[in-house]
């Protein structure tokens, strides 16, 4: 089995290294990484005593270390921007603007910044500072699991005059890309898919002490525990159509097998099984004209919701539809994809959608999964105490 570096094709994806030692990448490993690289120090994470504040200075040595690695974009080691903390927001943005044209401001935000009226303040400050930003959204479970948060993100993406990206996100990152985000980084573990509040820890492991392992079920657009996947497969064994359509995967690590084998897969295999299908989904969105991408994402969310209902109705399961799927669908006008006649909706200008001039670099999808340890790369797993340990 190849390691994480071998699952990142240069045409669409890249990798995000995280943590204090992420810039100490061995040259031989850097040469093997054919896709773009980003580095996130994650100073904003952890409890109140460990979490850096947004008003604190950024490290120019950290920025220079990234430049030496040839990263796709230099990310600031910003601190956390709390509720209504305009001073921290301005400090992060002003420092990034003064650090160079290749710098992107990492914005670790309290969830209220995507809600009215604070979204207006966020948009105004980002536009006035004229520096690209990468959002890290704080929430106990799913920062985009409510229609108001999704609507706020869509508003920001529509109104921002500089590139906006999502760092430490989940499947919703593809929705952000469909609505104009420059790139999104999907975490390979739950602690890298959003920012846990300072007074909250990641969910504790089960009684046996083993941390829950999640991986993708593409037809459901859901990251599920391997135990839940086993439950779904067992409930569907007598339905060959559902077994094929939902639980059979043709990615490189699955090789057209049904997904129950993932219960014994390695962390790298789980990451590969997640990221390769997401890249195909990303390609299906980004090869469309930009005006067509939002409706493509809407259709995918609706299909995934239909699959959830189908499994519940036919196989007597009682699975909840992920809140982010419902929030994305509800954020669209009722007649988003088609007119009342069933014909494709016209673009805002009333003309046929056209590809943007020189659109040779579509938005990218990154895997936020790795740190450097003893010259090797391994998926990150966060302990309940907020420290990070390595698998393997």
């Amino acid at each position: 089995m190849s390691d994480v570096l071998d699952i990142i094709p240069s045409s669409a994806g890249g990798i995000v290294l995280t943590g204090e030692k992420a810039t100490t990448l061995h040259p031989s490993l850097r040469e093997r990484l054919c896709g773009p690289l980003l580095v996130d120090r994650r100073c904003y994470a952890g409890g109140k005593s460990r979490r850096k504040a947004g008003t604190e200075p950024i490290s120019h040595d950290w920025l220079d270390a990234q430049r030496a690695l040839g990263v796709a974009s230099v990310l600031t080691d910003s601190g956390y921007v709390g509720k209504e903390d305009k001073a921290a927001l301005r400090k992060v943005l002003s420092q990034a603007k003064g650090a160079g044209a290749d710098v992107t401001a990492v914005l670790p935000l309290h969830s209220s910044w995507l809600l009215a009226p604070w979204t207006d303040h966020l948009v105004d400050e980002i536009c006035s500072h004229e520096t690209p930003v990468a959002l890290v959204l704080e929430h106990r479970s799913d920062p985009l699991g409510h229609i108001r948060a999704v609507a706020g993100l869509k508003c920001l993406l529509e109104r921002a005059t500089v590139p906006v990206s999502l760092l430490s996100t989940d499947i919703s990152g593809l929705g952000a890309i469909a609505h104009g985000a420059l790139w999104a980084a999907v975490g390979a573990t739950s602690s890298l898919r959003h920012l846990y509040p300072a007074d909250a820890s990641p969910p504790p492991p089960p009684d046996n002490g083993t941390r829950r392992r999640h991986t993708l079920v593409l037809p459901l657009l859901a990251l599920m525990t391997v135990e839940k996947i086993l439950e779904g497969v067992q409930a569907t064994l007598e339905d060959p159509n559902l077994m094929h359509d939902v639980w059979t995967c043709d990615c490189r690590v699955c090789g057209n097998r049904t997904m129950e084998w993932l219960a014994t897969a390695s962390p790298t295999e789980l990451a590969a099984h997640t990221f390769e299908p997401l890249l195909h989904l990303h390609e299906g969105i980004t090869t469309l004209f930009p005006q067509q991408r939002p409706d493509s994402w809407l259709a995918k969310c609706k299909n995934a919701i239909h699959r959830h209902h189908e499994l519940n109705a036919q196989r007597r399961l009682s699975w909840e539809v992920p809140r982010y799927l419902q929030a994305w669908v509800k954020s669209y006008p009722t007649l988003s994809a088609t007119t009342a006649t069933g014909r494709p909706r016209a673009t805002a200008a009333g003309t046929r959608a056209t590809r943007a001039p020189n659109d040779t670099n579509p938005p990218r999808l990154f895997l936020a999964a790795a740190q450097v340890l003893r010259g090797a790369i391994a998926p990150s797993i966060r302990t309940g105490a907020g420290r990070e340990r390595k698998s393997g």
Side-chain angles (χ1 to χ4, degrees):
M1 172 62 198
S2 58
D3 67 16
V4 168
L5 293 182
D6 297 320
I7 69 172
I8 311 295
S10 59
S11 60
I15 196 165
V16 182
L17 303 180
T18 64
E20 290 284 344
K21 298 181 179 180
T23 56
T24 61
L25 182 63
H26 192 277
S28 63
L29 293 177
R30 181 67 183 97
E31 291 174 1
R32 288 181 55 205
L33 179 58
C34 57
L37 171 67
L38 295 172
V39 178
D40 179 19
R41 199 171 188 176
R42 289 184 65 84
C43 293
Y44 50 79
K48 291 182 180 179
S49 62
R50 297 177 61 244
R51 179 175 289 195
K52 180 178 178 179
T55 52
E56 296 182 48
I58 62 174
S59 167
H60 288 272
D61 289 341
W62 176 258
L63 304 183
D64 289 339
Q66 294 178 70
R67 292 183 176 111
L69 284 176
V71 295
S73 182
V74 178
L75 302 182
T76 59
D77 57 336
S78 309
Y80 172 67
V81 179
K83 183 178 182 180
E84 302 179 13
D85 193 346
K86 292 183 181 181
L89 176 63
R90 291 167 181 160
K91 184 70 172 180
V92 169
L93 292 171
S94 62
Q95 290 187 94
K97 182 177 178 61
D102 59 344
V103 173
T104 293
V106 172
L107 279 182
L109 298 174
H110 185 273
S111 58
S112 61
W113 283 103
L114 288 184
L115 306 179
W118 293 101
T119 306
D120 290 335
H121 294 290
L122 179 63
V123 172
D124 291 344
E125 292 293 342
I126 289 174
C127 293
S128 65
H129 282 85
E130 299 180 325
T131 186
V133 297
L135 309 183
V136 181
L137 304 177
E138 183 186 49
H139 200 271
R140 291 179 180 272
S141 56
D142 184 1
L144 294 173
H146 193 282
I147 183 175
R148 293 174 62 200
V150 172
L153 176 63
K154 290 168 68 172
C155 175
L156 171 60
L157 291 169
E158 180 181 353
R159 292 172 53 193
T161 55
V162 295
V164 177
S165 304
L166 259 64
L167 185 61
S168 292
T169 187
D170 55 17
I171 293 174
S172 284
L174 287 168
I177 284 176
H179 285 269
L182 180 62
W183 52 261
V186 176
T189 62
S190 60
S191 60
L192 294 174
R193 293 185 194 120
H194 60 274
L195 174 61
Y196 285 97
D199 60 352
S201 298
D207 293 339
N208 61 11
T210 302
R211 185 155 296 280
R212 295 177 177 88
R213 303 192 305 154
H214 295 75
T215 195
L216 178 70
V217 180
L218 184 61
L220 302 178
L221 275 187
L223 291 159
M224 292 185 171
T225 65
V226 292
E227 292 80 11
K228 189 171 182 178
I229 290 173
L230 278 174
E231 177 191 357
V233 170
Q234 291 297 320
T236 319
L237 286 174
E238 297 179 1
D239 190 325
N241 290 329
L242 285 176
M243 283 295 293
H244 177 270
D245 294 344
V246 177
W247 302 117
T248 302
C249 178
D250 62 357
C251 76
R252 284 181 292 173
V253 292
C254 287
N256 216 37
R257 285 182 284 179
T258 51
M259 295 183 199
E260 72 270 16
W261 82 273
L262 293 170
T264 59
S266 70
T268 299
E269 287 172 325
L270 292 177
H273 165 78
T274 295
F275 199 55
E276 183 184 333
L278 283 181
L279 281 175
H280 289 307
L281 192 62
H282 163 269
E283 182 181 9
I285 292 172
T286 57
T287 53
L288 297 172
F289 298 124
Q291 297 93 329
Q292 297 171 326
R293 293 170 187 172
D295 287 342
S296 173
W297 174 244
L298 172 61
K300 288 173 171 55
C301 290
K302 284 185 173 181
N303 287 339
I305 291 174
H306 171 75
R307 284 294 189 190
H308 277 89
H309 291 324
E310 186 179 28
L311 282 172
N312 286 341
Q314 296 186 22
R315 308 317 304 174
R316 297 181 180 178
L317 295 170
S318 55
W319 290 356
E320 292 186 5
V321 176
R323 292 182 179 180
Y324 58 86
L325 290 177
Q326 300 180 71
W328 278 104
V329 170
K330 291 176 181 177
S331 73
Y332 284 76
T334 304
L335 299 178
S336 177
T338 60
T339 66
T341 62
R343 296 178 181 176
R345 184 186 59 177
T347 63
T351 59
R352 182 178 181 273
T354 56
R355 187 176 297 276
N358 302 319
D359 187 15
T360 58
N361 295 308
R364 286 189 179 270
L365 190 69
F366 287 82
L367 177 65
Q371 288 187 311
V372 179
L373 179 70
R374 296 187 298 274
I377 293 180
S380 300
I381 299 176
R382 188 168 300 280
T383 68
R387 297 183 300 273
E388 289 182 343
R389 63 180 177 86
K390 306 299 179 295
S391 59

